[in-house]
Amino acid sequence: MNAIQSYATDAYNAATEQLNKLSATEKAIAAVVGGSASLYLFCSLCSNKKLKPSASQLTGGSISSKAVKQEFKDYSDSYSSEAGVGITDRSKTVHLVDIFYSLVTDIYEWGWGQSFHFSPRLPHKDIKASEAAHEARIAATLGLQPGMKALDVGCGVGGPMRTIASTSGAHVTGITINQYQVDRATFLNKAQGISPLTEVVRGDFLTMPFESNTFDGAYAIEATCHAPKLNLVYQEVFRVLKPGSYFVSYEWVSTRDFDVKNPEHVKVMDEINFGNGLPEMRTWIEAEEAGKAVGFELVRSIDLATSSIVAGPWYDRLKMGRFTHAFNHCIVSTLDFLHIAPKGLKDVHKMLVDVAQSLVAGGRTNIFTPMHMLVFKKPEA
């Protein structure tokens, strides 16, 4: 407990110094926020980050604590203020995505889970069951079996990989641009007993470090939307797949209800792009054409957000979590105030809280879907 006591003493001294600078009203507000969070913070200080980071253990991933604030500012400045433009310099997209995931990975794990994606809510099933079904659908669609090798394109910390490897018995190799995610995914795979069927490598999915014709199947879950151009990542997936194999992608795209001439529609899309590290938003037609342009045969194209009349909206989880998001932001703000969280992480969290409402707006108006499923086949040799 000595280290914890020392940590608490330093935090107390820093808090006292900051409190003395506040007005009476500001001190009252700080007391309310700090009081409601105190028990939570005490418990989180004593917890183990191994399986899930607590609030007090949030970091900037591969970014040093001192650099978080500036890196987030640089990330924010990379997006144009002009409507519908997105990332101004597309040549920086890969770097910005790496930065984005260093900034948000701990927050995602803490507040969302290990599977960084949305899922339709299945009737009488909880969030985790719906999430697992959404992932297992891919294993079934690819026809994965023991002895086969699959590729997870943009694997994050490996939540879907663990489901797909476990349910199919196939070996899954994941690739992510972010070293912090590689380390987390590798640790979690081992901790959950999935290591024999998984491997995680760091790499750019535009230039993957795999031999041609290596994998029996490939998938991407809400990941290739980060590519500067879809055809660039699709052509790499095409290259590393064996002839006759399939590629399944859950794409973030605008729907047929999106109106590029509607300022509100464009505003929502710009907010979604900024809050999720996307260079731009494509249409589902552009995604289909990108796959066909690199040689794939389009087998199936369907929006899983609307394909079942009995499944609940994918954005319900965001709607139900509004109070939690607000409370969590109070926690992160308190940690910032106490100099426990890296400076700037509060702003990162605020971005994620804000974009949650933009995602809900996109879902409610049906101008956006995070799960348009494309099934491609690499032709037989």
Side-chain angles (χ1 to χ4, degrees):
M1 287 293 292
N2 289 337
I4 294 176
Q5 291 171 344
S6 176
Y7 200 19
T9 299
D10 291 343
Y12 174 80
N13 291 336
T16 300
E17 181 181 350
Q18 295 298 318
L19 279 170
N20 289 334
K21 299 177 183 179
L22 300 180
S23 67
T25 300
E26 290 172 329
K27 287 179 180 178
I29 294 172
V32 171
V33 173
S36 65
S38 59
L39 180 59
Y40 180 93
L41 292 177
F42 176 78
C43 293
S44 67
L45 280 169
C46 300
S47 68
N48 189 323
K49 183 179 178 176
K50 293 297 185 178
L51 291 180
K52 177 183 178 180
S54 67
S56 66
Q57 297 165 330
L58 298 178
T59 71
S62 300
I63 301 170
S64 70
S65 295
K66 293 181 179 179
V68 166
K69 188 176 183 66
Q70 185 60 49
E71 289 288 3
F72 180 64
K73 181 181 184 302
D74 292 344
Y75 169 82
S76 301
D77 291 345
S78 70
Y79 281 82
S80 174
S81 59
E82 185 179 345
V85 173
I87 292 178
T88 305
D89 184 353
R90 297 298 169 84
S91 68
K92 296 181 179 179
T93 300
V94 174
H95 170 70
L96 290 170
V97 172
D98 187 13
I99 294 298
F100 175 81
Y101 277 110
S102 277
L103 293 171
V104 305
T105 291
D106 273 357
I107 297 175
Y108 277 3
E109 276 201 74
W110 170 56
W112 189 265
Q114 295 172 6
S115 292
F116 298 172
H117 64 78
F118 297 104
S119 310
R121 186 66 178 270
L122 302 182
H124 303 289
K125 301 293 183 183
D126 63 16
I127 289 171
K128 290 300 181 183
S130 298
E131 189 175 80
H134 196 54
E135 296 165 357
R137 181 201 303 265
I138 288 178
T141 303
L142 291 175
L144 296 180
Q145 300 176 26
M148 298 177 73
K149 295 191 297 183
L151 174 66
D152 185 328
V153 184
C155 65
V157 297
M161 169 193 300
R162 289 185 283 279
T163 299
I164 291 169
S166 298
T167 57
S168 70
H171 185 279
V172 181
T173 298
I175 184 170
T176 170
I177 191 65
N178 186 262
Q179 183 60 47
Y180 187 70
Q181 291 190 336
V182 171
D183 296 339
R184 286 296 294 159
T186 301
F187 171 82
L188 291 168
N189 288 349
K190 182 177 181 180
Q192 297 179 30
I194 320 294
S195 288
L197 288 178
T198 58
E199 179 186 13
V200 187
V201 300
R202 185 185 185 188
D204 181 355
F205 57 32
L206 304 182
T207 54
M208 291 191 276
F210 308 120
E211 296 292 329
S212 298
N213 306 319
T214 295
F215 296 99
D216 300 293
Y219 64 90
I221 300 179
E222 304 183 24
T224 53
C225 52
H226 293 295
K229 295 293 180 184
L230 269 181
N231 64 296
L232 298 179
V233 61
Y234 283 0
Q235 70 184 11
E236 269 295 272
V237 176
F238 185 90
R239 179 182 68 80
V240 301
L241 275 179
K242 295 177 181 178
S245 298
Y246 291 88
F247 169 48
V248 176
S249 185
Y250 291 167
E251 287 292 347
W252 283 38
V253 294
S254 60
T255 70
R256 63 180 73 251
D257 290 335
F258 174 71
D259 181 1
V260 70
K261 296 180 181 179
N262 185 321
E264 279 303 308
H265 287 192
V266 174
K267 178 175 180 291
V268 167
M269 289 302 193
D270 283 344
E271 291 168 351
I272 291 174
N273 289 339
F274 170 68
N276 293 280
L278 274 62
E280 63 180 355
M281 187 65 66
R282 290 102 188 195
T283 69
W284 85 97
I285 294 177
E286 289 174 330
E288 291 176 353
E289 293 302 318
K292 291 188 286 187
V294 304
F296 278 122
E297 298 172 357
L298 180 62
V299 177
R300 191 179 184 196
S301 177
I302 185 171
D303 183 5
L304 298 179
T306 57
S307 62
S308 171
I309 62 172
V310 298
W314 58 267
Y315 53 85
D316 265 1
R317 186 176 177 185
L318 294 174
K319 287 168 53 183
M320 293 185 295
R322 289 188 68 176
F323 174 80
T324 302
H325 298 161
F327 180 77
N328 284 352
H329 192 62
C330 288
I331 296 293
V332 177
S333 297
T334 302
L335 292 167
D336 176 87
F337 178 76
L338 295 175
H339 296 270
I340 295 174
K343 281 296 179 183
L345 204 66
K346 175 181 70 174
D347 301 321
V348 177
H349 190 266
K350 180 62 164 57
M351 172 188 73
L352 298 178
V353 170
D354 290 343
V355 79
Q357 300 313 306
S358 303
L359 288 162
V360 170
R364 277 177 169 166
T365 56
N366 196 40
I367 63 172
F368 162 77
T369 177
M371 54 188 71
H372 192 103
M373 184 175 77
L374 298 174
V375 182
F376 293 111
K377 181 181 180 181
K378 182 173 180 176
E380 301 283 353

